[in-house]
Amino acid sequence: MNYEAVIGLEVHVQIKTQSKMFTRVAAGYGHEPNTLTDPVVLALPGALPVMNHAALDAIIKAGLLLGCEIAPVCKWDRKNYFYPDSPKNYQISQYDQPICLGGSVEIELPGAARNLMGEHKNIPLTRIHLEEDVGKLNHEDHDSLVDYNRAGTPLMEIVSDPAMHTADEAYAYLTSLRATMIYGGISDCDMEKGQLRCDANISIRPVGETKLGTKVELKNLNSISFVRDGIAHEIKRQIGLMERGGTIVQETRDYDGQTGTSQSLRSKEMAHDYRYFPDPDLMPVRVDEPWKARLRAECPELPFVKQRRFAEQYQLPYTLTSVLVWDRELADYFEETAQLAGPGKAQAAGNWIVNDLLRELTAANLTLATSRVRPAHIAGLVKLVEAGTIFTNAAKEVFIEMAATGDQPDVIAERKGLKAAPTDTNELEQWCRDAIAGNAKSAAEFRAGKEGAINALKGPVMKAAKGKANPKLVDETLRRLLAEA
Amino acid sequence: MSSELFYQPITALAAALAEKKLTAVELTQAVIARTKATEPRIHAFNSHDEADALAQAAASDARRAAGQSLGALDGIPIALKDVIAVRNQPLTASSKMLANFVSPYDAGVTEKLRKAGAVLWGRLNCDEFAMGSSTENSAFGPTSNPWDTTRVPGGSSGGSSAALAAGSAIATLGSDTGGSIRQPAALCGVVGLKPTYGLVSRYGLIAFASSLDQIGPFARTVEDAAIVLGAIAGHDERDSTSFKTEIPDYRAALATNRGPWKLGIPKEYFAEGLDPEIAQAVEQAIAFYKAQGCEIREVSLPHTQYCLDTYYVIATAEASSNLARYDGIRYGHRAAGAKDVVDLYYQSRAEGFGAEVKRRIILGTYVLSSGYYDAYYLRAQKVRTLIRQDFLNAFKEVDALITPTSPVPAFKLGEKADPLALYLCDIYTIGVNLAGLPAISVPCGFTKSGLPIGTQIIGQPFRESSLLAIARAYEQAHSWSTKHPIL
């Protein structure tokens, strides 16, 4: 029998705010344990929560970016359960009235090849709600220590419909969701810092069946690759179980990305009764149209939309757009460069950025912000090449020097004597004749129809010209002379 | 000043301080001496810090000497119920759970009293986590009623009413979730005011039932209550339920707000179970207002019979969640020898909480449980809306309502062992909390056996000025507040 997997993801995203969800103490990562605390975070007697409006702004923005319906009122509930990482032993969350409903995440599946665009799909969302993060438990030999620095950090829970069917889809969903959150300035989504965490609900059913099978919740998927691997593993486990005549039990399983195995954490029977009820310490907050309009105005263009626009507006190939659009800063950098370079030069600018600049940044351990190469540099370089002032080989040298010094490309070309010499056709013709004479074999091969053989003739010409000959002219001259003889 | 400084109202003491006939240190010393003399019989305090109080008093005198007095409360010793946080002082909620807890921060009202120059004096006993009507539920032993030390002072703010009646403070603060200020005020013969929900910040008040809790003053006179209320009222951004409203000069408003008023008598509040002596005293108070030209109207609050049930669903539900934080992990009582974390919770909470607190946590946990939520909590919230609507309908006809505060005068310590019998002590006060209204209890006489009786006046939301003026009109024509217990 053929089985189909059904996957729904619950993604927790920490919202990047100055302060915590319900108090003014700073939110942050990597501080000394229990230093980002106050009476509210520690749930001291008498402490009360006060909502951080910046966090509500951020989740509304996330909802708008993902096409969710924004609830007219932000209402808070208490989720009651005892665990040492939860200082109040209840978590302030949203139960029956999440702030965002519906919406979807656009994803791109892997294409047939790296340079080919894959299939696009929209994965529908169930809801997004706001809550507070819990503290962190560190288990030692006989003790468990709690660090409440993370406790109270604003946290979004983004719940997808059970609408994905492969590990690749889940991977693409997370990639796209993460990019959206980063684009919106909502979160940095660093999974190593726990800023993005993912649980997956997975079931299988015979192909053609419409009823959902028994679901298993997979936890501790600590990286996007582990999400893909964990889901693939779980689908295989469930299918294997069914094929051996077993039954799938509703449970929560812990995936270990290092070993690629999972084990049961708890079964459904041990599920909590969270005794949700409206938090009497927090008044519902009305979210009106002007509020939403203000946030809508702050919403950036999303990567896939940008990608379609880049292809159309700048005539960029997929190989460039697929690199440029995923980093908002890089996309903006490209657009600035393209504007400066002028009409018809966007693709050249894109090539420089994708092929040369990114390699340079990696090699020098720099970022776009810290690099000396600004959009004006690349635009200037593109213009020099297009104008025939310098040639491609020389341009590569200029680029390296630009990155090292931050000087403008024309200054460098001048200083290094890389500008094309005014073309003396007689001299060039002589160099070409010399090259043909000195490489009779290649010349004969070219004449016999071996197109590539001409390159063996260009080398000696360029060498004689000390690199300053116009390659186009060299090519033309060689062809003319080879045809003559 | 008379030798009994500690029985003087704030108004008289403030005048004496202003005229330099008295120093804050002298006043504080008198209150300390009185406390020491009466505490063995009353036990109104869980703790007090003489050195700290005297230092505050000395600072007050220095301010006054420099011509920088902060007003009527500057130098006045005020004691706080032990559920209100005072920086670097114990905060126990009269529970074993918090027996060793010291608050690292000031409550909103504590800050405000400091700004008004008050001398913060002592932590007052109460029912554990403010759950009770007799102060017998304190883990540190009950408080006695100064009028008859074999009787309870009421509760849960029994320490606050008893300390004031005994002269161990010039004013006190309590908290009122279902009558916990008004009922002990009535039983101890002092004025007790529960403000409109949201008028006074709850920041730093140990939560019992968040949607019902409100801090308020106990005072010798209505004018004193107006002064203290003026100091503690006002928006606090650290409490999301605190209301943004202009705070009037409540004391000045007493002079301008002169009636006559339309007063409502809710018929449901004079039914079965009301002590005849109390009924008579309250009827005399009503007759007084009528004689003053007030229009007296019978009104109906038809959902009154559901108040107690509604209250015990909502209050316990909120409490079950509010008290979850007391788990022995970060602070408070931690049981020794627990096997694992769940065992640590069980044992710490089993040892740390008293019977009444456990009873309410269990009740509250039950009513919030999956499958019961709609039938209990959600239904109770709907009834609560109806109860509030009853009051608002009545206020279309009248300015305020007059009722007894408590159906019975102070009862004997240990007399009401049945929790339900104790719950019935709050039948006249609970509706006010459910509706979020302001209400005051004013002394209106004594039983034949010499126990104080209080009448409750219920006002409209945020109309404390009017409520205080109505109470003041009665008080000025009577001398109940000048009577003191013999101790």
Side-chain angles (χ1 to χ4, degrees), chain B residues 107-396:
Chain B
V109 294
T110 309
E111 278 178 2
K112 282 183 179 263
L113 285 179
R114 285 193 203 276
K115 279 192 188 128
V119 172
L120 300 175
W121 166 238
R123 321 290 302 124
L124 294 164
N125 197 13
C126 56
D127 285 300
E128 185 180 4
F129 284 99
M131 295 177 184
S133 306
S134 66
T135 315
E136 293 169 290
N137 293 333
S138 168
F140 310 128
T143 295
S144 293
N145 192 316
W147 294 91
D148 176 348
T149 55
T150 66
R151 291 176 185 270
V152 302
S156 67
S157 310
S160 303
S161 60
L164 186 61
S168 304
I170 305 304
T172 60
L173 292 188
S175 64
D176 190 318
T177 306
S180 283
I181 290 175
R182 292 157 287 156
Q183 184 256 16
L187 269 51
C188 288
V190 295
V191 174
L193 171 67
K194 180 243 169 240
T196 306
Y197 184 80
L199 184 68
V200 177
S201 169
R202 294 186 298 116
Y203 182 75
L205 167 68
I206 289 186
F208 159 17
S210 311
S211 72
L212 301 161
D213 296 342
Q214 193 62 194
I215 294 172
F218 287 85
R220 301 204 185 289
T221 65
V222 173
E223 194 173 7
D224 279 9
I227 293 169
V228 179
L229 179 66
I232 63 172
H235 180 67
D236 181 346
E237 60 180 18
R238 296 165 299 182
D239 172 6
S240 307
T241 62
S242 121
F243 202 77
K244 279 182 188 143
T245 180
E246 200 66 31
I247 302 303
D249 183 336
Y250 294 113
R251 190 184 182 183
L254 291 175
T256 54
N257 213 322
R258 294 190 162 276
W261 301 281
K262 282 188 204 167
L263 302 174
I265 312 301
K267 61 179 181 192
E268 292 83 0
Y269 282 55
F270 290 83
E272 211 183 328
L274 176 59
D275 181 284
E277 287 189 273
I278 293 177
Q280 197 188 0
V282 174
E283 272 152 23
Q284 281 167 4
I286 295 166
F288 161 80
Y289 282 112
K290 196 167 185 183
Q292 296 295 305
C294 293
E295 186 187 327
I296 309 294
R297 258 192 219 187
E298 186 181 88
V299 296
S300 175
L301 304 171
H303 296 92
T304 298
Q305 56 175 312
Y306 304 114
C307 283
L308 208 63
D309 295 349
T310 304
Y311 176 84
Y312 276 96
V313 170
I314 292 171
T316 58
E318 292 180 6
S320 72
S321 177
N322 284 333
L323 270 63
R325 66 185 60 194
Y326 308 110
D327 58 6
I329 300 284
R330 297 167 317 289
Y331 56 82
H333 180 73
R334 178 187 284 212
K339 307 193 292 282
D340 54 31
V341 69
V342 173
D343 194 38
L344 180 71
Y345 290 149
Y346 282 149
Q347 288 198 39
S348 300
R349 288 166 68 83
E351 294 170 8
F353 289 139
E356 183 60 28
V357 172
K358 285 177 192 163
R359 185 177 295 121
R360 296 195 192 193
I361 290 173
I362 292 167
L363 251 171
T365 303
Y366 176 77
V367 300
L368 287 177
S369 300
S370 164
Y372 297 97
Y373 178 86
D374 287 2
Y376 292 106
Y377 190 78
L378 201 61
R379 170 96 34 118
Q381 288 293 6
K382 288 177 182 167
V383 178
R384 182 178 184 173
T385 305
L386 296 174
I387 290 166
R388 180 173 165 83
Q389 203 51 54
D390 278 357
F391 281 102
L392 297 183
N393 287 341
F395 287 133
K396 286 177 191 161

Side-chain angles (χ1 to χ4, degrees), chain A residues 214-215 249-252 264 266-272:
Chain A
T214 304
K215 72 172 178 188
V249 290
Q250 187 168 342
E251 61 180 343
T252 300
S264 185
R266 57 177 176 268
S267 66
K268 193 201 172 192
E269 288 71 44
M270 289 155 77
H272 283 107

Side-chain angles (χ1 to χ4, degrees), chain A residues 22-24 38-51 75 77-90 95-96 146 148 272-283, chain B residues 85 91 98 101 103-105 197 201-207 209-211 237-241 317-318 320-327 329-331 341 345 349 364-366 368-371 373 377:
Chain A
F22 295 110
T23 181
R24 281 203 171 145
D38 70 354
V40 177
V41 172
L42 293 175
L44 294 190
L48 292 173
V50 176
M51 191 190 75
K75 175 210 167 207
D77 299 289
R78 291 187 185 178
K79 179 181 182 178
N80 293 285
Y81 66 97
F82 278 80
Y83 204 64
D85 63 6
S86 170
K88 299 183 292 297
N89 286 316
Y90 62 80
Y95 177 52
D96 55 348
V146 206
Y148 292 107
H272 283 107
D273 176 358
Y274 290 119
R275 293 175 285 118
Y276 281 101
F277 75 108
D279 193 324
D281 285 331
L282 290 160
M283 298 284 101
Chain B
L91 179 61
L98 291 174
F101 185 76
S103 177
Y105 75 104
Y197 184 80
S201 169
R202 294 186 298 116
Y203 182 75
L205 167 68
I206 289 186
S210 311
S211 72
E237 60 180 18
R238 296 165 299 182
D239 172 6
S240 307
T241 62
E318 292 180 6
S320 72
S321 177
N322 284 333
L323 270 63
R325 66 185 60 194
Y326 308 110
D327 58 6
I329 300 284
R330 297 167 317 289
Y331 56 82
V341 69
Y345 290 149
R349 288 166 68 83
T365 303
Y366 176 77
L368 287 177
S369 300
S370 164
Y373 178 86
Y377 190 78

Side-chain angles (χ1 to χ4, degrees), chain A residues 241-475:
Chain A
L241 203 58
M242 291 302 282
E243 284 175 342
R244 289 194 305 276
T247 34
I248 292 156
V249 290
Q250 187 168 342
E251 61 180 343
T252 300
R253 296 182 71 85
D254 184 30
Y255 179 71
D256 182 342
Q258 302 304 326
T259 59
T261 57
S262 68
Q263 58 176 359
S264 185
L265 277 180
R266 57 177 176 268
S267 66
K268 193 201 172 192
E269 288 71 44
M270 289 155 77
H272 283 107
D273 176 358
Y274 290 119
R275 293 175 285 118
Y276 281 101
F277 75 108
D279 193 324
D281 285 331
L282 290 160
M283 298 284 101
V285 180
R286 193 175 301 282
V287 181
D288 57 14
E289 279 308 320
W291 186 343
K292 282 189 270 184
R294 172 173 64 80
L295 294 171
R296 203 172 277 120
E298 289 175 17
C299 283
E301 182 181 40
L302 287 185
F304 285 127
V305 178
K306 200 183 280 288
Q307 188 172 19
R308 288 188 275 272
R309 179 169 65 81
F310 278 13
E312 195 179 316
Q313 183 178 342
Y314 300 109
Q315 298 294 306
L316 295 193
Y318 176 75
T319 45
L320 287 183
T321 59
S322 62
V323 177
L324 287 174
V325 301
W326 292 102
D327 177 341
R328 188 175 170 182
E329 213 187 333
L330 183 64
D332 290 347
Y333 186 100
F334 160 74
E335 286 217 88
E336 197 185 334
T337 310
Q339 301 295 335
L340 291 169
K345 303 189 183 69
Q347 188 172 343
N351 279 326
W352 278 108
I353 291 169
V354 169
N355 298 326
D356 298 84
L357 179 61
L358 291 183
R359 186 192 306 124
E360 167 65 24
L361 294 182
T362 310
N365 197 21
L366 289 169
T367 65
L368 276 180
T370 56
S371 170
R372 290 195 175 87
V373 183
R374 307 318 310 156
H377 288 98
I378 293 181
L381 190 60
V382 169
K383 285 191 204 166
L384 288 180
V385 174
E386 293 285 322
T389 313
I390 58 172
F391 306 126
T392 309
N393 283 349
K396 299 264 176 198
E397 210 176 322
V398 171
F399 181 87
I400 290 163
E401 186 68 9
M402 239 165 45
T405 64
D407 291 340
Q408 290 302 322
D410 55 339
V411 175
I412 295 168
E414 189 68 48
R415 185 169 69 222
K416 301 198 79 164
L418 292 170
K419 286 196 175 173
T423 310
D424 179 331
T425 41
N426 290 334
E427 199 177 15
L428 179 62
E429 200 165 312
Q430 191 51 52
W431 289 334
C432 289
R433 286 182 195 286
D434 293 349
I436 291 168
N439 297 277
K441 187 168 166 259
S442 297
E445 280 174 7
F446 178 80
R447 288 190 184 106
K450 194 177 169 193
E451 175 69 22
I454 195 169
N455 291 328
L457 303 173
K458 284 178 184 172
V461 178
M462 292 309 272
K463 196 174 172 191
K466 300 194 174 99
K468 293 183 195 177
N470 184 336
K472 208 173 149 202
L473 205 55
V474 172
D475 185 76

